[in-house]
Amino acid sequence: MTAPPPPNLPVPSVRQMTNGELADLAASGDPYRGKAVFELVDRARSDDDAATRLDQLSRLPALRNDRAFHLVSLAWAAIIGLLAAETAHARARAYAAFEALDSTEQVNFLAYVRAERIEDAHPRI
């Protein structure tokens, strides 16, 4: 099953947006919120502010409940992106975001990334 196309809205130019604008777009429930999350993921390797915003976004119920890909919510995508960034700041934010998940989500997340502990997860994107 594929997701329906977004309504006929202009596609935001996420690469030209600030981290704050991306975070606002992701938090707003806009049909392009996923594009905003993934742009922040792309920036997290070299931008601590992007990593911090992903951590904050991962805690929002709207992103935790947005399961566009089977089990994976946008919150999980944010945490996976933080882990994949492999910087000390991004990994610290990923650990904090992971700890904010409820225990069932933590178990499911670890199973998804095939790790026994969050510290052992090193996904590639």
Side-chain angles (χ1 to χ4, degrees):
M1 177 180 197
T2 60
N8 198 10
L9 298 173
V11 178
S13 183
V14 295
R15 289 202 171 134
Q16 296 174 1
M17 296 173 81
T18 66
N19 292 344
E21 291 169 332
L22 291 168
D24 289 345
L25 179 63
S28 73
D30 185 277
Y32 293 107
R33 64 194 170 278
K35 283 182 71 81
V37 168
F38 290 112
E39 178 62 26
L40 287 168
V41 165
D42 286 345
R43 295 178 186 187
R45 280 192 175 98
S46 60
D47 186 340
D48 287 349
D49 179 61
T52 299
R53 290 178 189 270
L54 283 169
D55 173 16
Q56 295 166 345
L57 287 168
S58 75
R59 298 164 191 264
L60 297 177
L63 270 70
R64 286 189 179 180
N65 297 324
D66 188 340
R67 300 209 181 273
F69 316 104
H70 183 54
L71 276 179
V72 180
S73 67
L74 281 175
W76 282 22
I79 297 168
I80 290 167
L82 288 167
L83 292 168
E86 292 290 351
T87 68
H89 181 77
R91 286 197 68 89
R93 300 292 14 107
Y95 299 159
F98 174 79
E99 289 299 321
L101 297 174
D102 67 40
S103 59
T104 301
E105 286 276 314
Q106 289 179 357
V107 169
N108 291 338
F109 181 89
L110 290 174
Y112 183 78
V113 296
R114 297 183 177 145
E116 290 186 29
R117 302 174 320 129
I118 189 66
E119 295 83 3
D120 299 331
H122 294 277
R124 300 276 183 242
I125 54 171

